[in-house]
Amino acid sequence: MNKKTTSVDCPNCQRSVEWKDENNFRPFCSKRCKLIDFGGWANELNSIPGESAYPALADEYD
Ligand SMILES: [Zn+2]
């Protein structure tokens, strides 16, 4: 039996990850990395300043 395994690099920590059905977190190596990555961009979206966050800049670019 020749079982082919595909490996990808975890987008978060660049560790080699086996691409298989058992790995629910692929392409991440672990739940932790997946959450970190998701949390990362979620936080970025949430931290986009509203109008009141940078009043000085808002005035300058108005
Ligand atoms: Zn990882």
Side-chain angles (χ1 to χ4, degrees), residues 10 12 15 17 23-39:
C10 172
N12 186 59
R15 244 171 63 179
V17 184
N23 184 358
N24 293 322
F25 310 116
R26 64 186 187 275
F28 301 92
C29 67
S30 64
K31 185 179 184 180
R32 205 171 138 252
C33 275
K34 184 174 182 173
L35 289 179
I36 286 173
D37 195 76
F38 272 47

Side-chain angles (χ1 to χ4, degrees), residues 2-53:
N2 239 348
K3 210 177 174 185
K4 193 187 161 198
T5 34
T6 307
S7 288
V8 295
D9 290 338
C10 172
N12 186 59
C13 68
Q14 275 74 52
R15 244 171 63 179
S16 186
V17 184
E18 268 185 55
W19 191 278
K20 54 186 178 182
D21 289 342
E22 301 96 285
N23 184 358
N24 293 322
F25 310 116
R26 64 186 187 275
F28 301 92
C29 67
S30 64
K31 185 179 184 180
R32 205 171 138 252
C33 275
K34 184 174 182 173
L35 289 179
I36 286 173
D37 195 76
F38 272 47
W41 63 254
N43 284 338
E44 251 174 64
L45 288 180
N46 288 334
S47 70
I48 289 176
E51 284 178 75
S52 59

